[in-house]
Amino acid sequence: MSAPRLNVGLIGAPSISHYLREAGHTVSFIEPQAASEYDLIVFGAEGEELEVAVEETAPFARHGQIYVHTALDYGIQVLDPIETTGAVVAAAHQLTDHVWATTAADELGETIIELLVGEMGGRAISVSDKQRLSLKTALTYAQLANSMHNDAQQMLVEVLDSPDVAEELIPAAPEEPFMPDVEELARQHSSISDPGRANLFASVVRRNAEVRDDHNLELWAISQLNYKE
């Protein structure tokens, strides 16, 4: 027997919407005041916008509904104003095409979010609220490594004067890494307990800042290194 199809309301622009439609659910973009009419409500906002959306939606939440947000920065606590109504709350952030980081308040929420992710062709990895910052830091760390890969390719171009040969020897990384702002990088850096890893993180940020001509970011990175020039 197939799982029941849900009437889904989207607040914001969550990337999850495509997958929900593909799974056969009815999906609509809605305003917070219409939330009570839907079985599942998904928040696609980030940062303070998510907090505001939750506060605006909470008065219209009801027992038995399901509420999910997709922001990696936030765990389940941001949905507390909605959970008190008796709704099921969870968080699901897509890490890759098939892997989702999920958090739920209880076993029912865990079961529901795992079923939803499974319907979308994905695999749910349970992540606690405390683990979320470390997870985000590791993803930034990997992106920084990609940027050094491209820097090495540019070094070959300068040495060989042949972009084609450089590309053959060191293929470019698939995409230019997204660089968080200084405040976010400081937050991530502070979560790294291993001194060597923390120093390398700051070193690579510094090199990225040099390439991007971002003096503020470069100064921050230098201040985090365990040596002075």
Side-chain angles (χ1 to χ4, degrees):
M1 180 181 296
S2 61
R5 301 302 86 193
L6 301 174
N7 194 18
V8 182
L10 307 178
I11 298 176
S15 59
I16 199 174
S17 60
H18 167 74
Y19 297 96
L20 290 168
R21 287 192 178 96
E22 288 291 312
H25 300 291
T26 301
V27 179
S28 306
F29 288 95
I30 66 170
E31 296 297 326
Q33 58 267 29
S36 62
E37 302 171 16
Y38 294 82
D39 306 309
L40 167 65
I41 292 83
V42 182
F43 295 102
E46 301 276 348
E48 292 183 1
E49 290 183 2
L50 173 60
E51 297 178 22
V52 171
V54 169
E55 291 294 335
E56 291 179 345
T57 305
F60 307 98
R62 55 179 172 78
H63 179 82
Q65 287 182 298
I66 306 165
Y67 285 81
V68 176
H69 79 73
T70 61
L72 182 57
D73 277 344
Y74 287 82
I76 211 66
Q77 291 183 347
V78 71
L79 297 175
D80 281 353
I82 289 173
E83 186 185 8
T84 58
T85 68
V88 177
V89 296
H93 178 82
Q94 188 175 16
L95 298 173
T96 70
D97 287 345
H98 302 291
V99 178
W100 297 71
T102 63
T103 310
D106 51 34
E107 290 186 6
L108 176 59
E110 288 179 3
T111 299
I112 289 174
I113 198 63
E114 286 178 4
L115 287 172
L116 280 172
V117 169
E119 279 190 331
M120 296 185 294
R123 178 164 61 101
I125 303 297
S126 181
V127 178
S128 71
D129 283 2
K130 291 182 179 180
Q131 292 173 315
R132 283 177 171 269
L133 178 56
S134 294
L135 173 58
K136 192 170 186 181
T137 302
L139 294 175
T140 298
Y141 198 31
Q143 288 185 321
L144 290 170
N146 279 341
S147 72
M148 291 300 92
H149 182 97
N150 290 341
D151 201 28
Q153 186 197 67
Q154 181 58 35
M155 184 185 298
L156 272 184
V157 171
E158 294 166 3
V159 170
L160 302 175
D161 193 26
S162 175
D164 291 341
V165 174
E167 173 66 25
E168 184 175 349
L169 293 173
I170 305 179
E175 60 183 25
E176 191 67 21
F178 167 76
M179 182 65 69
D181 60 26
V182 172
E183 182 179 353
E184 175 60 22
L185 284 169
R187 193 170 74 96
Q188 293 183 20
H189 183 260
S190 67
S191 74
I192 304 174
S193 59
D194 182 276
R197 191 174 288 156
N199 202 56
L200 181 57
F201 185 97
S203 295
V204 181
V205 169
R206 179 188 179 183
R207 176 56 184 161
N208 270 268
E210 288 176 338
V211 171
R212 296 166 185 258
D213 200 27
D214 188 332
H215 300 298
N216 289 334
L217 183 56
E218 184 178 357
L219 287 172
W220 172 82
I222 291 172
S223 74
Q224 303 306 309
L225 296 170
N226 60 13
Y227 65 84
K228 300 294 182 182
E229 295 186 337

